Amino acid sequence: MVIEKKGFAPMCDFAPLNLCLASASPRRREILGLITRDFTVCVSGEDEVLPHQMPAEEMVQYLARQKAQAVAKSRPGCTVLGSDTVVGLDGRTYGKPRDRDHAAEMLRTFSGTDHQVHTGVCILRGQREIVFCETVQMHMRPITEAELQAYLDTGLWADKAGAYGINGPAAAFFTGIEGDFYAAFGLPLCRVYQVLTELLADAGH
């Protein structure tokens, strides 16, 4: 699947990289599409299983690498981008909610706290492997039970780490963020752009 936007002028021609996004996330496709339409999407299907307990920053880099490596095996000659996101608070990590009750539990935990969103990225090109993590500080105000239930009714908590997306109605719960805005909902665009630009230059384009 190739992302295309009518009337969209890309910042950079990444076509020579044969870029492949190893993610099923529509949010990551949209974010990457802000800088280029020169990419395909290939879902890794890799099970998100950790060999042992890890700090959040290490966890998301490990899972991003697993996704990218799984796709790279079937896409020789491509530059593969894998990514993973979790929310962290007081040494615990929170991924996607299992159901509405689990989402409610997460959001009650985050209410009125300063917590973190960690997004790991792995970019593979040939023998090169670039892996990094971007951490964003999130400042959430206390939310009422009525606000919580109204948000849960939207269904927009599903398939999101921490049960919220900063680019949707849940944005009303936050007094501010510190860090890369796009990393807060799935892909640190600035750093990804810089890495891809460097790879393009190294390839002689």
Side-chain angles (χ1 to χ4, degrees):
M1 174 181 178
V2 179
I3 303 296
E4 293 188 356
K5 297 178 183 289
K6 291 183 179 179
F8 172 68
M11 286 179 57
C12 193
D13 179 11
F14 289 123
L17 295 180
N18 295 318
L19 183 60
C20 180
L21 177 63
S23 175
S25 167
R27 292 171 299 283
R28 292 194 180 106
R29 298 180 202 179
E30 182 179 356
I31 295 168
L32 188 58
L34 294 174
I35 58 170
T36 182
R37 56 188 171 203
D38 299 318
F39 68 96
T40 57
V41 174
C42 183
V43 181
S44 71
E46 188 74 9
D47 292 333
E48 298 186 9
V49 178
L50 298 172
H52 54 79
Q53 280 298 113
M54 302 176 181
E57 296 92 332
E58 185 179 343
M59 175 193 302
V60 291
Q61 291 178 81
Y62 175 87
L63 293 173
R65 183 186 291 113
Q66 292 294 100
K67 294 175 183 179
Q69 289 177 341
V71 169
K73 291 176 183 177
S74 61
R75 293 293 185 96
C78 287
T79 301
V80 182
L81 190 164
S83 186
D84 193 77
T85 301
V86 299
V87 176
L89 176 64
D90 296 334
R92 292 190 59 188
T93 57
Y94 302 81
K96 299 172 185 176
R98 296 184 299 272
D99 51 33
R100 181 182 173 120
D101 288 343
H102 192 206
E105 178 185 342
M106 287 186 183
L107 291 169
R108 290 189 187 104
T109 299
F110 302 144
S111 177
T113 70
D114 292 343
H115 56 273
Q116 301 79 42
V117 173
H118 307 281
T119 294
V121 172
C122 177
I123 300 176
L124 300 177
R125 178 170 174 77
Q127 299 302 309
R128 292 194 64 180
E129 178 180 279
I130 301 100
V131 185
F132 59 89
C133 173
E134 287 284 338
T135 296
V136 182
Q137 297 292 328
M138 312 294 295
H139 305 293
M140 181 184 273
R141 64 173 175 82
I143 58 176
T144 67
E145 189 63 23
E147 288 175 322
L148 172 62
Q149 295 303 324
Y151 174 68
L152 293 173
D153 287 344
T154 69
L156 295 174
W157 48 267
D159 196 38
K160 293 181 176 65
Y164 69 80
I166 190 64
N167 61 324
F173 300 154
F174 291 89
T175 60
I177 70 170
E178 298 173 46
D180 186 329
F181 173 80
Y182 290 102
F185 63 103
L187 196 67
L189 189 61
C190 178
R191 196 160 175 190
V192 166
Y193 175 77
Q194 290 174 316
V195 171
L196 294 178
T197 301
E198 290 169 6
L199 289 174
L200 195 65
D202 291 345
H205 297 279

